[in-house]
Every structure is written in structure tokens, then in C-alpha cells.
Amino acid sequence: MTKSIDNNGDNGAMETRYADLKDKIVLVTGGASGLGYAIAKAFALNRSTVVIAGRDEAKLKAAKKALGRKVHCIPFDVNDLDRLPSLVHKIERSIGGVDVLVNNAGINLKKDAFHVTNEEYQKIIQTNQTAVFALSREVAKTMVGRGTGNIIMISSMASRYGIPKVIGYTASKAAVEGMTRALAVELATYGIRVNCIAPGFIKTDMSSRALDDDPERKRKVLARTPMGTLGEPSDIAHAALFLASTQSKFVTGIVLPVDGGNSIGF
Ligand code: NDP
């Protein structure tokens, strides 16, 4: 059976409910697959104009085809730091100023800390941390003029407790949570809110790679998740909609676990 682009059987059922998100311009990095795709879909269903960016052009085109007319795709590697300002200006010129940035693109590496090379560590930090800061900075500069804006980060349970064999990923995601608080304080005065979603274990290709060949880890994950199941990508998308909408207009600097209780499981 061909796997649908809506990953792992999650149909992402999403009622339209945030009227204020209509016509907002939403940039989702890594929006062609997994959580990013579910987030892009949720905003599109709320009649936002969505821009998805990622490295794989074929994946982007397939996502655009599935998501419809109001979704634009831009092939882009977020590690191309020097070109981030021109990416933001290109979107501003051709589509409009970015109202909501969802820093979703991320990579993981599962390997004993002893064997992680400096290059491997640096690559994860660059994608999951440095690029997140650099893109947030460039988008925030354009939001300042409009006196409003919304930045959403994606961290992980790895930033909350020690998971073995994911050292670079853990360090980068802990940094993202710190960055959320620091940026939220600095940007609040410009009307820009910055929040973070900490997904628990959600059914996507990334989590399959980490769990499917490691039944012991999967058992542990489910055992410490009070709700006893992995989450759906649409669970994360619902949280992103809330954080982007005016319904959360007095919320900034938070890290919202969406994890079936995993972070507080005994
Ligand atoms: P996927 O691997 O399915 O998706 C990651 C996306 O990021 C892809 O679309 C990929 O697109 C994009 N991406 C990766 N590197 C780059 C880059 N250099 N430039 C542009 N885009 C890039 O993972 P998930 O959907 O599972 O993860 C999404 C986010 O959620 C990540 O930040 C991850 O850390 C986080 N997360 C996921 C959890 C889960 O259980 N699934 C749990 C906790 C956090 P392309 O390859 O085309 O560039």
C-alpha cells in the first residue's frame, strides 16, 4: 500500500476554527513532511497562506499538490545561513510579510556519544539551533515594522530528560527552549510573541527511525506515557494553531508539552 503523505494514518482532521488566521502568511520550515506537513495543512485549512521550505524539491511539490493553491513551496536549505535574509525578502516581495514563522525543520542522529564526531555534532547544532536563531532573527526584523508577529519553535522531550544516544539533538533542543524564553522577552516590546511546542513521541518518519529498530526504547517510551500511545502529527498542528492565533495573545515564552503526559510520567 502506498503511504499517504498524511503520515502514518493520521488524517489530520482539523475543523476550521481560527478566523483570525485567515490570510496570515505562515512560513513552515520542513513543511513537506511529518509534523511540518501537518502544521502546514492545519494553517491551510484555516485559510492562511502557507509557505513551506525544505531541501527536497520532489517532496515539496508533492506536499503542495496535496495541500492546494494557497500553499507555496520554496526549495531551501536552512543551513544556508547567508541566504536566509534573501529568502525572507523573497517571500515578502512575492507573497507578503511573514506573520507566523514555524521553526520546524530538524534532524536527529542516534549514536553513542563516544562515537559522535565534531562534524556530526556541529551539523545537528547548525540545523536545529543556529539556523533556527538566524531565521527567527531575519523574520523578526520584518515583523518589527508591522508591530506584530508570531514565532513558534519545536523542541523535544530530549530537552527535558536524558535520552541516551542523542547527544547533539538533546543539546540543540535544550538550546531552542532557552532561545524561546530569551527571544520572547526581547521581542515582546515589538508585539512579537515567541513560544515553543515540545512534542512527545509523535508518529512520523523521524520517530519511526528512532523507535522501530529499537523495541526496548519504544516500550520505555510507551510505558512512561500515561496516555499509553504515540501522538499524531495533527496534535502538534492544533497546538501551533492556538499559539499563532489571537486566542493566545497573552501567551509568550512558554514551552508547551504536547506529549500524552510523557514529560510528567512516572
Ligand atoms: P521529519 O524527518 O519527518 O521532518 C523533518 C523536516 O525537516 C523534513 O521535511 C526535512 O525536509 C526538513 N529539514 C531537515 N533539514 C533541513 C534543512 N537543512 N533545511 C530545510 N529543511 C530541512 O521529522 P519530524 O516531522 O518528526 O520532525 C519535525 C520537527 O519536530 C523536528 O524539529 C523534530 O526534532 C521535532 N520533533 C519530532 C518528534 C517526533 O516524535 N516526530 C518529537 C519531538 C520533536 P528535507 O529533507 O526536504 O529538507
Side-chain angles (χ1 to χ4, degrees):
M1 200 175 75
T2 318
K3 198 165 87 175
S4 133
I5 194 159
D6 288 306
N7 271 318
N8 304 299
D10 177 18
N11 291 320
M14 201 84 54
E15 309 88 56
T16 302
R17 67 174 70 151
Y18 293 101
D20 65 292
L21 294 179
K22 182 173 181 290
D23 297 330
K24 292 287 181 209
I25 295 171
V26 183
L27 170 58
V28 185
T29 63
S33 64
L35 303 188
Y37 176 82
I39 293 168
K41 179 177 178 178
F43 278 101
L45 287 172
N46 276 269
R47 297 177 295 168
S48 305
T49 298
V50 183
V51 184
I52 55 177
R55 294 164 301 178
D56 183 334
E57 263 192 85
K59 223 163 73 175
L60 285 170
K61 279 188 187 146
K64 179 178 164 48
K65 196 168 166 205
L67 291 172
R69 218 168 33 86
K70 280 191 87 177
V71 174
H72 304 257
C73 57
I74 302 188
F76 197 88
D77 184 336
V78 294
N79 289 322
D80 205 345
L81 301 181
D82 292 342
R83 285 183 55 238
L84 287 172
S86 61
L87 169 74
V88 174
H89 290 124
K90 181 178 167 186
I91 296 171
E92 195 164 37
R93 271 196 319 274
S94 57
I95 302 167
V98 174
D99 297 297
V100 181
L101 166 65
V102 184
N103 280 306
N104 163 80
I107 55 169
N108 196 357
L109 173 71
K110 197 167 159 207
K111 204 173 181 186
D112 286 345
F114 285 124
H115 298 115
V116 173
T117 65
N118 293 340
E119 289 72 26
E120 286 169 334
Y121 186 85
Q122 197 51 50
K123 189 175 166 200
I124 298 176
I125 298 296
Q126 164 105 358
T127 305
N128 294 4
Q129 178 184 334
T130 312
V132 167
F133 165 64
L135 182 58
S136 300
R137 180 193 60 215
E138 294 310 316
V139 170
K141 282 180 192 168
T142 69
M143 290 171 166
V144 165
R146 295 190 296 278
T148 180
N150 225 297
I151 299 176
I152 298 173
M153 312 287 195
I154 307 286
S155 65
S156 163
M157 288 301 112
S159 62
R160 318 219 129 200
Y161 50 76
I163 304 179
K165 300 183 191 207
V166 285
I167 184 63
Y169 184 77
T170 297
S172 68
K173 292 298 186 178
V176 162
E177 294 193 358
M179 200 188 302
T180 299
R181 289 183 281 269
L183 277 180
V185 169
E186 212 169 319
L187 299 181
T189 174
Y190 302 104
I192 302 167
R193 295 191 292 118
V194 186
N195 289 294
C196 180
I197 299 167
F201 293 83
I202 314 292
K203 283 182 245 168
T204 67
D205 289 346
M206 185 188 278
S207 61
S208 302
R209 283 193 295 274
L211 298 178
D212 286 356
D213 62 345
D214 192 344
E216 176 53 20
R217 181 168 289 207
K218 189 163 186 180
R219 192 199 57 73
K220 229 171 172 172
V221 162
L222 292 174
R224 68 167 291 165
T225 305
M227 294 184 83
T229 171
L230 300 184
E232 308 280 3
S234 57
D235 294 324
I236 305 306
H238 279 293
L241 291 178
F242 170 69
L243 290 174
S245 85
T246 51
Q247 303 216 6
S248 63
K249 66 183 171 52
F250 201 48
V251 177
T252 197
I254 67 157
V255 179
L256 175 64
V258 179
D259 66 346
N262 180 273
S263 53
I264 47 88
F266 175 61

